[in-house]
Amino acid sequence: MTNSYPFVVFGDEFKDKRVLVTGGTKGVGEAIVRRFELSGASVATTARSAPAPGLAPALFIQADLGTARVSKTSSIAFSKSGVGSTYW
């Protein structure tokens, strides 16, 4: 994650909060993941492409959520992950 961020961020604003961001590896989704991480949230994300260098969500599942089957499979993976039992 970059050390510079153009907005004021309080490190504990989202402390102990869990956030799921779909499409969190590029563009607006990536910015949302970074913002929540900087504010102390535990972030999970899913996207078609891998996270950018420096982006380290607590949980990442590479998937295209364009179909109901993949969406259900991803939801199950989130709930069964090691991170899921700790943070979710």
Side-chain angles (χ1 to χ4, degrees):
M1 184 175 318
T2 182
N3 289 332
S4 63
Y5 191 76
F7 305 103
V8 175
V9 176
F10 301 101
D12 61 351
E13 182 178 6
F14 292 101
K15 182 180 178 194
D16 298 327
K17 301 295 181 188
R18 301 173 306 231
V19 179
L20 170 61
V21 179
T22 59
T25 61
K26 292 183 179 178
V28 173
E30 179 183 0
I32 291 169
V33 169
R34 288 184 187 274
R35 172 65 169 85
F36 277 119
E37 285 180 334
L38 287 170
S39 297
S42 178
V43 181
T45 190
T46 182
R48 291 179 295 200
S49 58
L55 188 67
L59 177 64
F60 171 72
I61 295 179
Q62 190 165 358
D64 182 352
L65 298 181
T67 66
R69 182 179 60 81
V70 173
S71 295
K72 183 177 180 179
T73 302
S74 295
S75 297
I76 292 168
F78 276 123
S79 65
K80 289 185 176 181
S81 71
V83 173
S85 62
T86 303
Y87 297 107
W88 306 96

